[in-house]
Amino acid sequence: MSPLVFSLVLGSALLHVSWNALIKGARDKGAMTLLVSQGCALIALPLLPWLPLPAPAAWPFLLVSALLHVGYYQLLARAYGAGSLAQSYTLMRGGAILLLFIPSLLLEGMPGGPALAGIALIAAALILLGLKGVGKRDPSIWQCACLIACYTLVDGMGARASGDQPVAYVLWLVVLEGGLMLALARRALGVAIWPVLRRGRRLALLGGACSTLAYAIVVWAMTQAPLAQVSALRESGILISFLIGAVCFQERLGRGKWLAALALLGGVLLLRLG
């Protein structure tokens, strides 16, 4: 993995945890999830005319991914209601790394020794830390992990089929997601949805900007480096979630989190060496 890809994926991890923290901190997590999806679409729409369309081969991946993302959004609010930011995030993302590894192995072959060790160390640290009292109570966290692995695989393949247009691929993806999310919310809430969108428009744009930029970086990176390595490196953002959880949500930083942080740093270093 080149220094540029490595650095940008680390930056995307910060952005990704930031919009997840918005959902975790919201009183109505379902409404905040809807707002973030609409913010993504609003940011993407004016940019689409300036970019070429993704290649026709990418559109089946786009449609499947949009459906997977909508399912993910529906479960995400429930998952964050089941545990702390750090716990829920670690289980979802660590489980996704493991689930993604086998199909990535079939598509791209076995990574080198340092990279393989880095992926394993990051996934193990996340899952062992997150298993402390969350996943046994609510299956939505594990369901989220499955959907994350599925849409990451689909988007990695779709971006590579997009004709060197991974950014356009992501922008079209978030527009499709936003439209589907809005249709579902309109059907469930009726006209009551419009005041929610008006009141939360600033947070929608903030969360949407973080989410869209973070995912555009990751999808581009998956055209430059192996899927499993990009996915594992992205989840180093859990280190940031520890800090946000402690500062914003008064979540305790115990010995286990410090040990996990050291393991994650070791995994990141191994990925860089690989």
Side-chain angles (χ1 to χ4, degrees), residues 3 26 44 59 82 100 109 133 147 154 157 220 243 252:
W59 285 93
L100 181 64
L147 287 174
V154 169
M157 296 169 66
W220 168 80
L243 296 176
R252 192 172 68 87

Side-chain angles (χ1 to χ4, degrees), residues 30-31 34-35 37-38 178-200:
L34 173 65
L35 287 170
S37 73
Q38 299 311 295
L180 290 171
M181 289 286 290
L182 184 62
L184 289 174
R186 178 69 174 81
R187 181 176 180 181
L189 300 176
V191 295
I193 188 178
W194 306 121
V196 173
L197 295 176
R198 282 195 296 270
R199 287 195 303 268

Side-chain angles (χ1 to χ4, degrees), residues 41 43-53 167-168 170-173 175:
I43 288 168
L45 275 171
L47 300 176
L48 290 178
W50 302 95
L51 293 171
L53 285 170
V167 174
V170 171
L171 295 182
W172 277 104
L173 174 62
V175 168

Side-chain angles (χ1 to χ4, degrees), residues 19 22-24 26 28-39 69-70 72-78 80 181:
W19 74 261
L22 283 177
I23 294 175
K24 172 62 184 175
D28 186 338
K29 294 174 174 56
M32 181 55 70
T33 304
L34 173 65
L35 287 170
V36 170
S37 73
Q38 299 311 295
H69 273 87
V70 169
Y72 165 70
Y73 277 132
Q74 299 298 310
L75 290 169
L76 188 62
R78 191 188 311 165
Y80 279 135
M181 289 286 290

Side-chain angles (χ1 to χ4, degrees), residues 52-58 157-166 169:
L53 285 170
M157 296 169 66
R160 294 174 183 185
S162 68
D164 294 324
Q165 294 299 326
Y169 177 95

Side-chain angles (χ1 to χ4, degrees), residues 110-140:
M110 181 69 73
L116 180 61
I119 293 168
L121 191 56
I122 290 173
L126 291 177
I127 290 178
L128 291 175
L129 179 64
L131 278 173
K132 193 175 179 180
V134 175
K136 298 174 183 178
R137 292 199 300 267
D138 195 306
S140 60

Side-chain angles (χ1 to χ4, degrees), residues 59-265:
W59 285 93
F61 295 103
L62 268 170
L63 296 174
V64 171
S65 180
L67 293 173
L68 290 170
H69 273 87
V70 169
Y72 165 70
Y73 277 132
Q74 299 298 310
L75 290 169
L76 188 62
R78 191 188 311 165
Y80 279 135
S84 69
L85 174 66
Q87 285 180 313
S88 300
Y89 192 92
T90 52
L91 277 178
M92 286 188 292
R93 314 309 299 196
I97 294 172
L98 290 182
L99 291 169
L100 181 64
F101 180 71
I102 293 177
S104 175
L105 188 67
L106 295 174
L107 286 171
E108 301 170 325
M110 181 69 73
L116 180 61
I119 293 168
L121 191 56
I122 290 173
L126 291 177
I127 290 178
L128 291 175
L129 179 64
L131 278 173
K132 193 175 179 180
V134 175
K136 298 174 183 178
R137 292 199 300 267
D138 195 306
S140 60
I141 293 174
W142 302 107
Q143 292 163 357
C144 274
C146 292
L147 287 174
I148 291 167
C150 289
Y151 75 62
T152 301
L153 179 63
V154 169
D155 288 336
M157 296 169 66
R160 294 174 183 185
S162 68
D164 294 324
Q165 294 299 326
V167 174
Y169 177 95
V170 171
L171 295 182
W172 277 104
L173 174 62
V174 298
V175 168
L176 291 172
E177 290 170 20
L180 290 171
M181 289 286 290
L182 184 62
L184 289 174
R186 178 69 174 81
R187 181 176 180 181
L189 300 176
V191 295
I193 188 178
W194 306 121
V196 173
L197 295 176
R198 282 195 296 270
R199 287 195 303 268
R201 60 186 180 275
R202 292 181 181 176
L203 286 176
L205 291 173
L206 175 61
C210 290
S211 178
T212 303
L213 181 56
Y215 204 55
I217 291 171
V218 166
V219 170
W220 168 80
M222 289 191 291
T223 68
Q224 309 295 313
L227 302 182
Q229 292 185 39
V230 173
S231 176
L233 182 58
R234 181 194 189 195
E235 309 320 340
S236 62
I238 188 60
L239 297 171
I240 304 158
S241 83
F242 288 167
L243 296 176
I244 294 175
V247 173
C248 300
F249 307 123
Q250 290 74 54
E251 296 174 3
R252 192 172 68 87
L253 285 175
R255 183 188 305 173
K257 288 184 179 179
W258 287 111
L259 291 174
L262 291 174
L264 287 166
L265 287 173

